[in-house]
């Protein structure tokens, strides 16, 4: 299950802007001189107008019968999306290692704990940037790779068999995919792999193993049939992060990193806490959970019409997929309740510009890093 991907910014690894950005709009008359501006502060009037717009588009709710359909048949809506878009629409996330250096080779297990302790001592700014944002057409779509790859219809039988065997079993500490790895990363809601494949291509650590799962079986098939998919370094499997009965294919306390990029917002708010609790138990002490998702009053939220609201700040798109818009406080509560400690919780406010149409588009994203506490000397 993958969320929308307005965050898939253009650029190359060798030519990234600095992490906190350097393009600020000091003269409003120059707004159309660039495609995007960093750390744009909202006026009180703009914030009030956004709140009024959300109140307006929330007055008419989707009927209960349809809400039940969107929940029960959620996998069908995501499968339909990937059948339409496959893997040829979006660019890979070249901003990934700038925002999340924990995924790069230099941040492997011996460095992660030191990095965590150092950042806990540092004061974290309240706002940050990202790479230049994409065009307007991208913001209502979902995670897809930019590479045009041949779609193979046969899923490797080994992957199917392993997935079937591990789905309902308790995982043994020495009998699971990647059990010999020294550094393990899991992405939940991987889509067709536009986060996973850059990690595999960039991080050549021989001890690395990457797990990736998605709600959509069509998305996982696209990952497994991608020429870059290497079963010796990666294991892709279908998984519903809201399913309390289905186990992940790794034992508790075995993961160094869990990635959630525009995926938590796609599930029912009432199920988010239990999902995060289950994921938290998979982390090693010192392991990190990384999230990037929609913030409250993002342009995508303001563009919804009446009749698309499911509940407070939770909407259904025209294709039947759903999206929630978070506050920093909500995400902090989710992670800390799951026993994790805050390393970073930032609002990324960006002004994207369509110079051709003379349009301004205000984006609000939240980026979080939460760490599982290190074992105390007495435990």
């Amino acid at each position: 299950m993958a969320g929308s991907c307005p965050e898939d910014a253009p650029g190359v690894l060798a030519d990234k802007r600095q992490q906190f950005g350097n393009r600020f709009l000091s003269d409003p008359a120059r707004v159309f001189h660039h495609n995007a501006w960093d750390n744009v502060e909202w006026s009180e009037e703009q914030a009030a107008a956004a709140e009024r717009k959300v109140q307006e588009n929330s007055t008419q709710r989707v009927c209960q019968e349809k809400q039940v359909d969107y929940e029960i048949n959620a996998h069908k809506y995501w499968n339909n999306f990937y059948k339409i878009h496959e893997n040829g629409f979006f660019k890979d996330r070249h901003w990934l290692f700038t925002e999340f250096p924990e995924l790069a080779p230099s941040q492997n297990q011996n460095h992660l704990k030191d990095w965590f302790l150092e950042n806990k001592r540092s004061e974290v700014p309240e706002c940050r940037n990202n790479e230049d944002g994409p065009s307007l057409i991208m913001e209502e779509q979902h995670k897809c790779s930019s590479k045009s790859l041949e779609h193979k219809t046969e899923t490797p039988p080994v992957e199917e068999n392993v997935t079937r065997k591990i789905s309902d079993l308790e995982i043994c500490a020495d009998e699971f995919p990647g059990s010999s790895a020294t550094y393990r990363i899991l992405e939940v809601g991987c889509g067709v792999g536009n986060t996973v494949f850059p990690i595999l291509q960039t991080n050549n650590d021989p001890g690395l193993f990457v797990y990736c799962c998605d709600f959509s079986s069509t998305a996982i098939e696209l990952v497994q049939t991608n020429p870059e998919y290497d079963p010796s370094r990666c294991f892709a499997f279908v998984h519903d992060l809201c399913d309390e009965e289905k186990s992940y294919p790794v034992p508790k306390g075995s993961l160094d990193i869990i990635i959630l990029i525009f995926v938590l917002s796609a599930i029912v708010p009432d199920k988010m806490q239990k999902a995060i609790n289950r994921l938290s138990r998979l982390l090693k002490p010192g392991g990190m959970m990384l999230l990037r998702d929609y913030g409250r009053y993002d342009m995508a939220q303001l563009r919804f019409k009446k009749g698309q609201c499911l509940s407070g700040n939770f909407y259904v798109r025209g294709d039947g997929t759903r999206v929630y818009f978070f506050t920093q406080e909500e995400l902090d509560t989710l992670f800390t309740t799951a026993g994790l400690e805050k390393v970073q919780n930032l609002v990324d406010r960006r002004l994207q510009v369509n110079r051709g149409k003379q349009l301004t588009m205000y984006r609000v994203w939240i980026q979080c890093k939460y760490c599982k506490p290190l074992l105390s000397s007495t435990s």
Side-chain angles (χ1 to χ4, degrees):
M1 175 175 57
S4 302
C5 59
E7 77 288 0
D8 289 334
V12 293
L13 290 173
D15 188 27
K16 298 191 300 288
R17 290 189 294 109
Q18 292 182 355
Q19 196 169 9
F20 286 88
N22 54 18
R23 184 174 292 166
F24 305 104
L25 181 61
S26 57
D27 181 3
R30 292 176 52 84
V31 65
F32 294 109
H33 285 219
H34 296 287
N35 292 327
W37 301 93
D38 301 321
N39 298 338
V40 176
E41 294 294 332
W42 285 25
S43 66
E44 293 184 4
E45 293 79 7
Q46 183 180 3
E51 184 175 356
R52 288 195 300 270
K53 181 63 177 176
V54 168
Q55 291 176 350
E56 177 184 339
N57 68 23
S58 302
T59 54
Q60 182 180 342
R61 302 291 175 91
V62 176
C63 70
Q64 189 60 34
E65 181 180 358
K66 287 186 177 180
Q67 294 212 29
V68 171
D69 170 69
Y70 292 133
E71 175 68 6
I72 294 177
N73 295 311
H75 64 287
K76 295 182 180 179
Y77 291 112
W78 285 106
N79 281 336
N80 288 339
F81 168 78
Y82 286 113
K83 287 176 182 177
I84 294 172
H85 295 284
E86 293 193 348
N87 49 19
F89 195 80
F90 294 109
K91 296 183 178 181
D92 290 330
R93 295 187 165 104
H94 298 298
W95 52 267
L96 192 65
F97 302 101
T98 299
E99 299 298 335
F100 296 136
E102 302 82 7
L103 304 175
S106 62
Q107 289 291 342
N108 277 352
Q109 61 258 14
N110 292 332
H111 301 272
L112 184 58
K113 294 182 178 63
D114 293 339
W115 183 91
F116 166 64
L117 294 173
E118 178 183 349
N119 277 269
K120 288 290 285 183
R121 290 193 293 265
S122 303
E123 181 177 358
V124 182
E126 288 301 317
C127 295
R128 74 180 309 145
N129 78 290
N130 200 321
E131 303 287 313
D132 283 346
S135 60
L136 178 61
I137 192 173
M138 297 176 69
E139 102 254 349
E140 284 302 315
Q141 300 296 336
H142 316 286
K143 296 198 289 189
C144 291
S145 171
S146 63
K147 298 180 181 179
S148 179
L149 304 171
E150 180 182 359
H151 180 89
K152 301 178 183 178
T153 57
E154 294 185 2
T155 304
V158 174
E159 301 294 343
E160 288 185 350
N161 292 337
V162 173
T163 302
R164 189 177 302 115
K165 289 179 181 178
I166 66 175
S167 61
D168 300 311
L169 299 178
E170 190 69 26
I171 304 302
C172 299
D174 57 351
E175 297 179 2
F176 63 96
S179 57
S180 61
T182 57
Y183 197 75
R184 303 186 186 96
I185 296 173
L186 165 66
E187 185 187 13
V188 180
C190 64
V192 297
N194 60 326
T195 293
V196 168
F197 291 123
I199 293 174
L200 292 172
Q201 293 162 2
T202 303
N203 193 332
N204 57 4
D205 177 6
L208 172 70
F209 197 89
V210 180
Y211 307 87
C212 58
C213 63
D214 199 277
F215 194 36
S216 167
S217 58
T218 301
I220 293 302
E221 182 180 347
L222 288 167
V223 171
Q224 293 175 341
T225 56
N226 189 317
E228 298 290 336
Y229 183 68
D230 181 357
S232 69
R233 303 184 68 215
C234 183
F235 179 67
F237 59 101
V238 178
H239 188 85
D240 178 1
L241 79 166
C242 295
D243 189 342
E244 299 181 37
E245 304 300 324
K246 190 173 183 180
S247 300
Y248 287 90
V250 295
K252 296 177 182 178
S254 63
L255 297 178
D256 295 275
I257 297 288
I258 295 176
I259 312 169
L260 298 160
I261 298 181
F262 289 85
V263 61
L264 192 62
S265 56
I267 69 174
V268 176
D270 290 345
K271 297 184 178 182
M272 292 178 182
Q273 186 65 68
K274 288 184 177 180
I276 296 297
N277 291 348
R278 288 191 293 275
L279 288 171
S280 176
R281 290 192 284 269
L282 300 179
L283 284 174
K284 297 177 181 178
M288 193 84 70
M289 200 172 295
L290 311 177
L291 173 141
R292 188 167 176 83
D293 220 318
Y294 291 102
R296 190 69 48 85
Y297 305 143
D298 177 69
M299 177 188 69
Q301 181 178 17
L302 304 185
R303 292 179 70 237
F304 278 107
K305 307 299 182 183
K306 291 181 180 180
Q308 291 181 275
C309 185
L310 300 163
S311 60
N313 303 295
F314 190 44
Y315 301 81
V316 62
R317 301 185 182 92
D319 61 6
T321 61
R322 298 166 295 176
V323 59
Y324 185 81
F325 297 87
F326 293 98
T327 64
Q328 289 175 281
E329 294 74 19
E330 287 172 336
L331 286 167
D332 186 69
T333 297
L334 287 171
F335 289 122
T336 56
T337 300
L340 304 178
E341 296 181 356
K342 181 174 72 172
V343 176
Q344 181 186 84
N345 187 324
L346 304 173
V347 175
D348 181 354
R349 298 182 185 274
R350 289 179 57 73
L351 172 58
Q352 293 179 199
V353 175
N354 184 322
R355 289 187 281 180
K357 295 183 178 181
Q358 297 284 287
L359 296 176
T360 57
M361 299 164 283
Y362 289 88
R363 307 313 310 261
V364 182
W365 301 313
I366 298 180
Q367 183 164 299
C368 296
K369 301 180 183 183
Y370 280 75
C371 187
K372 192 167 189 176
L374 297 173
L375 293 174
S376 66
S377 58
T378 59
S379 57

